[in-house]
């Protein structure tokens, strides 16, 4: 067990516990905070694997962007601390059925995948990381495996957001 | 120029020869963490002293001069006071989030602090997307501020937090674009490579001439707003909101905000001196060999600190000159002036680089 | 900025910001006004009209001007003055009320200066003494007349003592010794005189300037006799000049008295 494995276990436990806390927490702001930890832990995993760009994106977009947006909208919408109400029997049953189905699918996929016990390719992350210009070129490349189409498709989403924002903010 | 990495590599090899890899890693991590925290605390104290003196001088006063020679011990006393104060949390607050928020802020601040290039080879966090990482980690601090405002169960706090959120998210944009402008010139996002390029070919603020100078000024404005300081201090605005988002904090919990605020200023100045003024790169004029010889003899961290304090002087000067803006003025400044101008600068810089108009 | 265009507003804004920066940059190097108090107590100059504490000036013969009428006691809104008198029989057989003790409780005083204005003899006044803090409230109760002092006789007017006396008071007048340490006596008087001279000179300059202005205004008014506003201005300037001249004369008179 080398240092990387130890860090992986630490991060995995951290992510799992935070994820559990996210769904079990009754306060919505706390849930958002635990979600922040989950996302930061995931970013940590990316860094551990040497995917520094992906890790930074994860931190910036999810931790710094989405969570801030969540917390912001919670602050704007709820006056006082909103606790979840006691759930009815019906809801409990429906929730557990869906959960069981989800676990079944998840475990089934894991079981049938057949992982190979390979070492992580990058034992020293700093050595063989992809440089920034490679990422940039790939992002705007139209070749096979290029990301121009998804990259541009995302901008349609942003356009939709802008239009929606304008519609809401428009003076009637 | 002395390469600090010689020393770190030697230390690493020495430790690896006597102990297993994981233990070496842990010891190195602890050493580096201690280093960061010590530097952090020392610079916070220096900054607080400098700020108080500077503000006094601008206001035609002398500033602290009672404790120690020229009041130098004053800050130490303040720190001791802060450390011994009771940590208090008001009733009906979310204790967990209330306690957590300062740590989020200080963690984000310390991680960005670790990105600064102190000397050639003396850098704690340095990888291919350094600048991007710096921006990403810096954005976590906002969560801490928002949580602090929400968890305190206080109207002042929440108003301060909302203002901080709106302000920081907005100004992050122009910080990002101005940094991108310089990355465009540098062609790399790694801090060590940025510094090396400036050591080899001259500082970016000279190489990028007019565009770089404009970007520098924009960066300083946006950076000041990002630190909640100067004319942009309305998340705290003590005259209207008592203390804004950290109204309900006391003792060291408040101290963390205080530290983070000052260190964010330092980091802002450090980043400005890294990407515009060359980091640890000495000032050389091509052709004047004797002059350059002397300049390169000055160690890198002295250059770095000198530049940081120069930028700090600019930031403090501005902070103690202008009155506080209103929230709508702040957002107007950002969205109507800074963002369009920085975008134009980005395009101009791209044109300059592609047509070879830079030095 | 509302009615300017985008770029005009931008340029104007930058200009005004630069002006502000220039002001603070200059201010950075100006001499600082901070008074470093305990070190500068020797050279610290307090304005003479500062109401520090109530004193009763004594002349060199240990004589004061108080006749023990008690008007100050009656006028004091805070009840901080107590005038203790006694009746004595003079040599020529007349009964006369003389001051035994003029007790002043500084802890109660609100420095309104009603007592000094009410005093028919001008026997009490405020001294610019500011180190009034004591550890015991009782130490604030002071007897203003010096031990063994007596009222100045009528025939010889008690003028010579007036300016120098207030500073001469402190050491002797505090029976319990808790009052501020003796402030330098002579320098204060000198200072006062010097300041007075300076003020007189200034007043004279002012008067001269006003006179010149008045003459000019008069000329202007003569040049355009139909302009009523100019005429009024000239008259006003003349009145002002006359007033300033009297002020200057007063200063000279005071200076001569000193």
């Amino acid at each position: 067990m080398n240092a990387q494995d130890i860090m992986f276990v630490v991060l995995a436990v951290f992510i799992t516990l935070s994820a559990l806390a996210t769904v079990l927490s009754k306060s919505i702001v706390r849930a958002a905070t635990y979600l922040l930890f989950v996302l930061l832990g995931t970013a940590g995993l990316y860094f551990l694997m040497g995917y520094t760009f992906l890790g930074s994106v994860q931190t910036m977009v999810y931790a710094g962007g989405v969570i801030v947006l969540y917390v912001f909208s919670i602050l704007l919408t709820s006056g006082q601390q909103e606790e979840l109400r006691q759930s009815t029997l019906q809801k409990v049953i429906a929730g557990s059925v869906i959960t069981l189905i989800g676990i079944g699918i998840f475990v089934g996929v894991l079981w049938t995948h057949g992982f190979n016990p390979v070492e992580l390719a990058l034992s020293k992350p700093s050595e063989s990381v992809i440089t920034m210009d490679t990422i940039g070129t790939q992002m705007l490349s139209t070749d096979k495996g290029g990301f121009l189409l998804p990259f541009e498709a995302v901008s349609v989403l942003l356009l939709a957001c802008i239009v929606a924002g304008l519609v809401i903010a428009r003076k009637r | 120029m002395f390469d600090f990495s010689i020393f770190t590599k030697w230390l690493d090899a020495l430790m690896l020869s006597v102990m297993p890899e994981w233990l070496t890693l842990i010891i190195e991590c602890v050493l580096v963490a201690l280093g960061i925290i010590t530097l952090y605390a020392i610079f916070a104290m220096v900054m607080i002293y400098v700020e108080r003196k500077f503000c006094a001088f601008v206001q035609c006063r002398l500033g602290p001069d009672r404790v120690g020679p020229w009041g130098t011990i004053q800050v130490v006393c303040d720190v001791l006071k802060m450390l011994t104060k009771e940590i208090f949390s008001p009733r009906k607050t979310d204790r967990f989030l209330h306690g957590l928020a300062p740590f989020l802020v200080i963690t984000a601040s310390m991680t960005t602090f670790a990105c600064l290039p102190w000397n050639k080879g003396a850098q704690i966090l340095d990888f291919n997307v350094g600048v991007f990482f710096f921006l990403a980690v810096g954005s976590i601090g906002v969560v801490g501020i928002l949580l602090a405002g929400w968890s305190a169960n206080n109207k002042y706090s929440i108003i301060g937090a909302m203002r901080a959120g709106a302000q920081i998210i907005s100004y992050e944009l122009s910080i990002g674009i101005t940094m991108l402008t310089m990355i465009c010139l540098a062609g790399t996002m790694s801090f060590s490579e940025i510094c090396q390029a400036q050591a080899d070919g001259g500082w970016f603020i000279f190489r990028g001439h007019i565009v770089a100078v404009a970007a520098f000024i924009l960066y300083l404005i946006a950076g000041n707003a990002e630190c909640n300081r100067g004319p942009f201090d309305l998340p705290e605005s003590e005259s209207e909101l008592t203390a804004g988002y950290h109204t309900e904090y006391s003792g060291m919990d408040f101290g963390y905000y205080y530290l983070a605020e000052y260190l964010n200023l330092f980091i802002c100045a450090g980043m400005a001196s890294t990407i515009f003024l060359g980091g640890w790169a000495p000032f050389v004029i091509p052709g004047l060999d004797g002059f350059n010889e002397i300049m390169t003899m000055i160690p890198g961290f002295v250059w770095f600190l000198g530049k940081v304090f120069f930028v700090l002087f600019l930031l403090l000067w501005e902070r103690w000159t202008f009155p506080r803006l209103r929230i709508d003025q702040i957002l107007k400044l950002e969205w109507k002036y800074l963002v369009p101008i920085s975008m134009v600068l980005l395009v101009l810089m791209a044109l300059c680089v592609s047509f070879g108009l830079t030095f | 900025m509302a009615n300017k265009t985008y770029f005009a507003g931008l340029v104007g804004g930058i200009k005004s910001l630069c002006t502000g920066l220039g002001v603070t940059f200059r201010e950075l190097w100006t001499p600082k006004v901070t008074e470093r108090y305990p070190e500068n107590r020797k050279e610290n100059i307090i304005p003479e009209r500062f109401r520090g504490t109530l004193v009763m000036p004594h002349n060199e013969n240990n004589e004061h001007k108080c006749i023990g009428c008690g008007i100050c006691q009656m006028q004091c809104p805070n009840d901080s003055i107590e005038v203790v008198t006694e009746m004595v029989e003079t040599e020529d057989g007349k009964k006369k009320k003389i001051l035994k003790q003029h007790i002043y409780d500084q802890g109660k005083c609100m420095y309104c200066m009603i007592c000094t204005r009410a005093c028919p003899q001008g026997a009490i006044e405020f001294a610019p003494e500011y180190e009034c803090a004591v550890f015991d409230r009782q130490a604030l109760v002071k007897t203003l007349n010096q031990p063994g002092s007596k009222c100045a006789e009528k025939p010889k007017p008690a003028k010579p003592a007036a300016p120098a006396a207030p500073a001469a008071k402190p050491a002797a007048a505090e029976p319990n010794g808790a009052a501020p340490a003796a402030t330098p006596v002579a320098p204060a008087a000198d200072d006062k005189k010097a300041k007075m001279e300076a003020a007189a000179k200034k007043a004279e300059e002012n008067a001269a300037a006003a006179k010149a202005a008045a003459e000019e205004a008069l000329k202007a008014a003569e040049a355009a006799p139909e302009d009523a506003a100019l005429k009024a201005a000239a008259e006003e300037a003349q009145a002002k000049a006359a007033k300033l001249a009297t002020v200057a004369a007063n200063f000279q008179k005071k200076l001569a008295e000193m």
Side-chain angles (χ1 to χ4, degrees):
Chain A
M1 206 166 176
N2 59 9
Q4 201 160 11
D5 293 341
I6 297 173
M7 266 329 281
F8 177 78
V9 171
V10 170
L11 280 173
V13 171
F14 175 73
I15 293 173
T16 318
L17 289 182
S18 306
L20 277 177
T22 307
V23 286
L24 294 178
S25 168
K26 288 210 165 171
S27 155
I28 188 161
V29 183
R30 275 197 192 193
T33 314
Y34 291 127
L35 185 60
L36 170 72
F37 291 150
V38 176
L39 297 170
L40 284 181
T42 320
L45 278 185
Y46 291 143
F47 279 115
L48 192 66
M49 288 185 277
Y51 297 148
T52 48
F53 180 70
L54 199 54
S56 299
V57 169
Q58 171 86 8
T59 318
M60 181 137 208
V61 173
Y62 286 100
V66 172
I67 290 295
V68 170
L69 214 61
Y70 278 175
V71 176
F72 221 88
S73 47
I74 292 167
L75 294 192
L76 282 175
T77 47
S78 65
Q80 64 270 29
Q81 192 171 345
E82 261 181 27
E83 301 255 321
L84 293 178
R85 259 167 262 126
Q86 279 296 329
S87 39
T88 58
L89 190 66
Q90 266 180 327
K91 276 186 188 167
V92 172
I93 292 170
S96 37
V97 166
I98 293 172
T99 316
L100 281 177
I101 294 172
I103 289 178
I105 294 170
F106 194 66
V107 171
V109 169
L110 281 182
W111 210 256
T112 52
H113 185 275
F115 289 99
N116 298 321
V118 284
E119 287 280 312
L120 277 171
L122 299 158
S123 58
K124 283 242 161 132
S126 56
E127 275 163 12
S128 48
V129 282
I130 309 140
T131 55
M132 201 55 218
D133 38 349
T134 322
I135 296 170
T137 323
Q138 275 292 311
M139 200 80 95
L140 294 177
S141 128
T142 48
D143 302 340
K144 193 165 181 287
F147 286 94
L148 185 63
L149 186 64
F151 187 78
E152 290 300 324
V154 170
S155 58
V156 178
L157 178 71
L158 290 180
L159 180 70
C161 292
I162 292 170
V163 171
L166 283 177
V167 167
I168 293 171
R170 187 170 51 111
K171 277 188 190 136
R172 288 187 193 90
Chain B
M1 185 122 280
F2 176 68
D3 193 346
F4 196 77
S5 61
I6 297 169
F7 172 71
T8 48
K9 275 187 186 131
W10 168 78
L11 195 69
D12 186 50
L14 185 76
M15 285 214 280
L16 271 179
S17 62
V18 289
M19 53 185 82
E21 190 203 347
W22 59 272
L23 191 60
T24 317
L25 214 58
I26 289 177
I27 291 177
E28 282 172 3
C29 284
V30 170
L31 279 180
V32 167
L34 280 179
I36 298 182
I37 292 171
T38 317
L39 278 178
Y40 198 87
I42 289 172
F43 277 108
M45 282 158 77
V46 172
M47 298 269 312
I48 292 170
Y49 179 73
V50 168
E51 157 114 50
R52 291 184 66 175
K53 273 291 185 191
F54 189 93
C55 121
F57 273 58
V58 168
Q59 293 164 355
C60 219
R61 299 183 285 120
L62 283 175
D65 77 332
R66 299 283 96 174
V67 196
W70 303 290
T72 37
I73 315 293
Q74 179 75 49
V75 187
V76 181
C77 298
D78 282 347
V79 168
L80 289 178
K81 177 199 79 174
M82 198 83 87
L83 283 171
T84 51
K85 268 172 131 181
E86 182 193 357
I87 292 180
F88 169 82
S89 141
R91 268 196 303 162
K92 290 197 175 175
T93 55
D94 194 325
R95 291 283 167 89
F96 170 67
L97 293 182
H98 195 66
L100 176 77
F103 287 96
L104 279 179
V105 173
I106 199 109
T107 312
S109 173
M110 277 195 183
T111 320
T112 44
F113 185 66
C115 292
L116 297 178
W118 294 91
N119 195 352
K120 188 174 185 175
Q123 229 183 320
I124 296 153
L125 289 178
D126 178 33
F127 41 80
N128 58 344
V129 289
V131 177
F132 189 38
F133 177 78
F134 170 81
L135 290 172
V137 177
S139 64
I140 297 177
V142 192
V143 186
I145 288 176
L146 286 175
L147 286 181
W150 182 83
S151 66
N153 195 19
N154 176 325
K155 291 189 182 73
Y156 291 135
S157 300
I158 202 146
I159 294 173
M162 297 304 285
R163 287 178 176 186
Q167 176 182 324
I168 295 178
I169 292 173
S170 310
Y171 278 82
E172 233 161 49
L173 212 66
S174 46
I175 285 198
I177 297 177
T178 43
M179 279 182 135
L180 216 56
T181 313
M182 298 318 285
I183 289 163
C184 193
L185 181 60
T188 171
M189 273 191 170
S190 148
F191 285 122
S192 57
E193 283 172 37
I194 288 179
C195 286
Q196 192 59 54
Q198 296 183 77
D200 296 340
W203 300 359
F204 283 155
I205 197 161
F206 299 130
R207 279 162 72 180
H209 49 90
I210 304 166
V211 185
V213 171
F216 181 62
I217 293 168
L218 281 195
Y219 178 83
L220 288 188
I221 296 172
N224 221 14
E226 186 85 349
C227 304
N228 293 335
R229 281 176 53 85
F232 311 105
D233 62 344
L234 81 178
E236 299 164 26
S237 55
E238 52 285 274
S239 48
E240 344 169 356
L241 298 181
T242 5
Y245 56 86
H246 55 62
T247 304
E248 295 290 0
Y249 283 93
S250 63
M252 213 42 219
D253 274 0
F254 165 72
Y256 283 148
Y257 284 107
Y258 202 57
L259 277 182
E261 186 187 322
Y262 278 100
L263 257 295
N264 281 343
L265 183 70
F266 184 87
I267 292 160
C268 171
M271 222 15 86
S273 50
T274 305
I275 56 176
F276 293 98
L277 305 179
W280 46 261
F283 180 73
V284 288
I285 302 170
L288 291 175
D289 285 334
F291 176 77
N292 296 350
E293 195 79 359
I294 297 168
M295 285 294 145
T296 40
M297 259 155 68
I298 300 171
F301 66 92
V302 175
W303 273 111
F304 179 70
L305 284 181
K307 288 167 192 174
V308 169
F309 278 97
F310 168 70
V311 179
L312 272 179
F313 167 76
L314 295 181
L315 288 173
L316 286 175
W317 180 15
E318 176 247 28
R319 189 242 186 285
W320 290 104
T321 302
F322 301 133
R324 184 184 302 140
L325 270 68
R326 235 171 27 222
I327 182 77
D328 63 317
Q329 290 169 333
I330 280 193
L331 294 180
K332 199 159 126 193
L333 174 70
E334 166 67 7
W335 292 103
K336 277 180 78 177
Y337 294 96
L338 295 193
V339 169
I341 294 174
S342 53
M343 282 177 170
V344 169
L345 286 183
L346 178 59
V347 174
L348 278 182
M349 184 58 95
L351 286 178
C352 282
V353 170
S354 49
F355 287 111
L357 292 175
T358 56
F359 297 112
Chain C
M1 231 206 256
N3 44 9
K4 277 186 198 161
T5 58
Y6 179 85
F7 289 103
L10 189 64
V11 173
I14 291 172
K15 255 189 212 158
S16 79
L17 290 182
C18 289
T19 315
L21 285 174
V23 170
T24 40
F25 192 78
R26 254 180 284 128
E27 208 57 40
L28 205 55
W29 312 106
T30 51
K32 308 299 170 230
V33 296
T34 310
E35 299 280 1
R36 320 176 85 168
Y37 162 58
E39 290 94 352
N40 75 348
R41 69 202 313 174
K42 289 275 184 321
E43 60 264 27
N44 200 6
I45 296 164
I46 299 295
E48 57 179 302
R49 284 172 65 193
F50 178 71
R51 301 175 189 179
T53 181
L54 191 66
V55 292
M56 181 179 284
H58 287 61
N59 66 5
E60 64 271 23
N61 300 327
N62 203 13
E63 288 172 336
H64 54 74
K65 287 193 269 180
C66 181
I67 53 170
C69 62
I71 291 177
C72 50
Q73 180 181 357
M74 282 185 279
Q75 292 289 326
C76 181
N78 281 10
D79 205 9
S80 59
I81 296 176
E82 192 188 349
V83 179
V84 182
T85 54
E86 61 180 357
M87 296 297 264
V88 290
E89 207 158 309
T90 51
E91 290 136 18
D92 41 343
K94 275 187 192 163
K95 274 193 169 180
K96 195 184 175 193
K97 195 165 154 190
I98 61 159
L99 179 72
K100 201 175 166 199
Q101 269 186 314
H102 191 286
I103 302 168
Y104 163 61
D105 186 352
Q106 202 178 1
K108 287 186 192 168
C109 180
M110 64 173 189
Y111 308 97
C112 60
M113 241 173 129
I114 289 178
C115 52
T116 60
R117 296 224 178 98
C119 183
Q121 303 290 319
I124 46 178
E125 62 184 46
F126 272 94
E129 196 171 293
Y130 56 95
E131 288 175 316
C132 298
V134 287
F135 284 103
D136 186 5
R137 190 180 289 182
Q138 284 308 308
L140 289 172
V141 183
K142 298 168 184 171
T143 306
L144 293 190
N145 55 328
Q146 290 168 7
S149 64
K150 59 176 198 281
C151 185
E153 294 296 321
K154 269 275 166 61
K156 40 175 179 174
K159 244 172 200 167
K169 178 228 92 201
E174 264 56 64
N176 39 23
T183 39
V185 176
D190 275 1
D191 265 2
K192 215 169 164 183
K193 190 154 185 192
K195 264 196 239 162
M196 188 69 103
E197 267 164 15
K201 209 171 158 198
K202 187 93 189 282
E204 249 170 284
E205 276 166 19
N206 279 348
K211 207 175 162 194
E215 271 162 19
E216 213 162 281
L218 209 59
K219 256 183 224 162
E222 274 162 16
E226 68 282 356
D227 196 337
L230 266 181
K231 205 177 165 194
E235 270 164 19
E236 203 175 294
Q238 267 175 317
K240 198 176 162 196
K243 209 170 159 193
L244 280 172
T246 42
V247 169
N250 275 348
F251 265 111
Q252 286 297 342
K253 216 164 101 190
K254 262 195 193 167
L255 205 61
E257 272 171 17
M258 264 175 107

